[in-house]
Amino acid sequence: MEPAVLGSKLASALVGQLVRKLFRPDGPGAGLVDRPVRLSALVSFRGEKRTLGEKEVRALATGLVRAATDSPGEAPFPADEETAVADALTRQLLALGDLDMDDVQAVRLGHRELAGKLRRQAPPDPGLSADACHFLDSAIEWSCLQILEFFTRRSTFVARTLVEQTRAQAELIARTDELLARTPRPGAADRDFERRYLPYVADRQRHITIYGIDLRDSPDRWPLEVAYLSLEATTAEESPLTEEHPGGPLTLRLRAEEALLAHDRVLLRGDAGSGKTTLVQWLAVTAARDGSGVPYVLPLRTLIRAGSLPSPAGFLTAVSCPLTPPEGWTERVLTAGRGLVLVDGLDEIPAADRHRTRDWLLSLIRAYPGNRWLLTSRPTAVRPDWLAAEGFGELTLAPMRRPDVATFVHRWHTAAGAPEYATPLLDSLRTKRDLARLATNPLMCGLICALHRERRGYLPTGRKELYDAALTMLLARRDRERGLELELGEETQLELIQRLAYALVLSGRTEMEVETAESIVDRCLPAVGLRGPATAVLHDLLLRSGLLRQPADGVVDFVHRTFQDYLGARYAVEEGHLDVLAGRADDTQWEDVIRMAVAHARPRERASLIRQLLARDVPRLTLLALACLEHAPALDAAVRAEVEQRAAALIPPASKEDARALAEAGPLVLELLPGPQGLSAEQARDVTITASLLAAEEPAGALAVLRRFREHPDIGVRRQLAGTWSRFDTAEYASEVLDHLPRPGLYLGCESPGQRAALAGMRPWAGLAFIGEHAPEAILAAVPQPSDVTLLDLRDNPLVTDLGALLPFGSLRNLLLARCTQARGLDRLAELPLTELICGRIDDLTGLASLRSLRRLTLEQELPGHSLTEVLPVDAHLTYLFLGRHTTNRTGLRGLEHWHELVDLSIGSLTTELTRADWRSVAALPQLRQLHLHARLLRELPDSIDHMPELPTVKVLRLTGLLGTEDLAVLASRFPQLHSVALQNMPGHTFPLSRYSGVFPPGVDVRLLER
């Protein structure tokens, strides 16, 4: 730093206060003495009567240093050295008490020499920077100057001998203070101005203005902090040539506001309403608030109106900034490389002015290197690589993704004070595909939000009004309100663009070559009263309409497919091509075109088109006709009634099979699915089945439907919702649906690491299933509160080895182990309160006998030993037992009578005959009420049934796996007290219940359970 600046930060008023505290005041009657008084007796921190201690000296030195660093202007040394400088100054001041001299000697010595003695007595830390040492030297010299002045004023004995020196010192101090007061500090005026300018910029740019929306309840300005959305920008770079990557263009994505972190010079392209100007505002506000640069927001449309483009000195005047900077301030900022120059709207100035704008910008960059520069433009305003030679990187704002849209909608409604409308709108955006395609940039999202809020949570009946408002905004109002001159009127633009749209619709494509587009425009020019050339007219449409774009060289398409369909339908209706539309109804790509044609058509034309759809008698076309009703405010009542009558047979679906068939109609169905209000539990379940099946084609729409059922009380509906997790984005489905499900009677299955991670963030689940390879420690990590889990299902998991790893599930009552082929140590589970165990194909059943708390047991693998009592827990009070395939190969049913509390016995598809001895063990069960048998015993092991005695205690019989060919008469006599029979078919085999209606005695309830 300059010495004058250092001295200004240590003015005598500050140091004088310090010195007065360092030395004791004169006592009463002080005067001439016969011997000098040493400094050690004068300082206040030495001697018998201390008025100041080392702690206080340190505090005074720290205060002096802080006062210097907090004063306006550049800091005298790095901020992280403040403590070290204060410590060094403290040591040097304390060294006054160690000097072997008196006050007279000190005065004669002079302030510089005195300061040198103090520095030698207490040298500074060698690690201090040069700036810090410079400041410390200046500080101690100024302190010594004040100390000597203090001595000259103490008492009369020094006044006589030092009067001349006293006058000289006082005169020197006074003149120096006066000089400092009169001399302005370098850069002070600049810093004072920036303290006013930066808050002004932050305040000026902190609101977003939405042009073209004049709805009653929707203001056109929103707080930037609330409404700003961080979007992605993409850039194409050449990838390196490697074996894995053969080189060529590589698309990179980064957050748009990080663009200037990757490049000092950026040309940012974006379609109309994509957020270019909002990004400029955000960068300006951020820089102004965090001090990362001095921002200059320069809208080109404003600069061009003034005539010549401004020099740096005219930046603020050109944008009507009311603040007047010091002369040369902007040049000094740019010379120092502290500028953030944000030039907005290259596309908003005439083409003739763009080259001189380029020259103006490049001259600034060459004159002031080291600053950051951002230029924004619509994609087609200038050719690719327009500024590449000058080191500008090109970025393109990407369309909003689904999470971006959700964030925008929530923030918009928060800013509007209407958060209750956000969720219903998001559901509409998810289920209505044309709306979702429309909401891909902040401008269109803002329009949709505004229309939705103005109608108190409902979008227009039919979306024609929404599209009309969007077209008016994009084609005319937005540019007009931004002060731009329009070369083509709204109707002229519409006529030209809708012909391009219809040509694309007819070809079944979404883009066309520029030459084709120019020929279509050329044929249309006479009809709209224009004289070409078509190339220039098409260029104006690409640049200003906001509907067309040039995604690649030589190609034209629409910014949103929904505008193509809407305008193509408009032209088809005007030209009377409804039969053409009806003939293409089988193609799902024409669905939206047909619906929009109904919106544009007159009532008689609507009725004709809808009748043609119904005449085909195809479920999907019937549903398309139903979807068209939304766009037909005026329609023949008989046609409307016929559509609704036919659709009622399809929606809601009447069975699972109907639900699956309905899903085959495609994503259109999602807009039409009802509920849950007014639906039975079965209908609600079937609606969720249909929506789940459509998740692969339209996940957002399917999710929006399922969200409506997430609090449904029926267990069947909730099981369907829990079981379809894998069809959706893991985290989103967990937060939107699963975490809201009522838990009673429900368990949740996890199949992937992503699902485990989502599980950890949800409310606790009492029932959990982990399917596939999940290490026990990973399972525990996914369950923050394992003591909440009462049911655990582990399947197909070879990573489960030591079952003792499950002990943290201290409340576990139900455990399923299926195909955990390495699992061992069932005895370790004796510490858990297990009441049910389902076990099949684990490595070792040793230890099963120790599970005394079991009440229900299911086994599906061969048991060791010769009797059930050798394997099963003999101390357990079992009430239910299932013995599956191969289970009884060695043990038979011997010993079964030991569990005399058994109520329910289920015998699966055994592979060995049951003997009379086995059945005697069954007959010895006094509490047995229900018996389940697999039909394989009848078909393949008939002796097992022949050996069966009467079982008078059995009231309920269930037969599973039936083909419909089995003879059940042999069973009728075995159960004299039978009350009910349930028959269940083998999947893929059906038969009528009447086949067995006469087999069992009258009064026995026989039911058929179809699979």
Side-chain angles (χ1 to χ4, degrees), residues 796-813:
D796 303 303
N797 193 345
L799 301 182
V800 175
T801 54
D802 181 5
L803 292 174
L806 304 182
L807 291 180
F809 295 98
S811 303
L812 197 62
R813 301 181 65 83

Side-chain angles (χ1 to χ4, degrees), residues 845 847-849 864-874 891 894-895 899:
L845 287 175
L848 177 60
H866 298 86
S867 169
L868 295 178
T869 54
E870 296 179 24
V871 186
L872 275 55
V874 294
T891 63
R894 291 182 293 277
W899 289 275

Side-chain angles (χ1 to χ4, degrees), residues 18 25 156 221 262 324 350 437 470 559 562 622 624 646 782 806 817 855 869 876 885 944 965 981 1000-1002 1009:
L18 171 63
T156 57
R221 284 169 58 82
T324 302
R437 287 197 295 265
V559 293
T562 188
T622 299
L624 177 58
R646 290 203 193 182
L806 304 182
L817 298 170
R855 296 293 180 271
T869 54
R885 191 175 182 84
S944 295
T965 59
V981 176
F1000 297 94
L1009 306 176

Side-chain angles (χ1 to χ4, degrees), residues 312-394:
F315 278 3
L316 302 193
T317 302
V319 294
S320 302
C321 175
L323 304 180
T324 302
E327 185 176 354
W329 168 72
T330 304
E331 290 88 338
R332 288 192 291 276
V333 170
L334 296 178
T335 300
R338 296 195 298 124
L340 173 61
V341 186
L342 305 166
V343 184
D344 187 31
L346 181 65
D347 57 282
E348 297 179 354
I349 62 176
D353 291 322
R354 289 175 197 151
H355 285 291
R356 72 182 179 101
T357 298
R358 182 177 183 273
D359 294 339
W360 166 76
L361 183 61
L362 295 183
S363 67
L364 289 174
I365 292 172
R366 290 162 183 162
Y368 301 101
N371 296 281
R372 291 179 291 160
W373 309 81
L374 176 69
L375 177 63
T376 73
S377 173
R378 291 192 187 181
T380 56
V382 292
R383 70 177 187 276
D385 301 327
W386 192 60
L387 288 170
E390 303 301 328
F392 272 76
E394 289 205 6

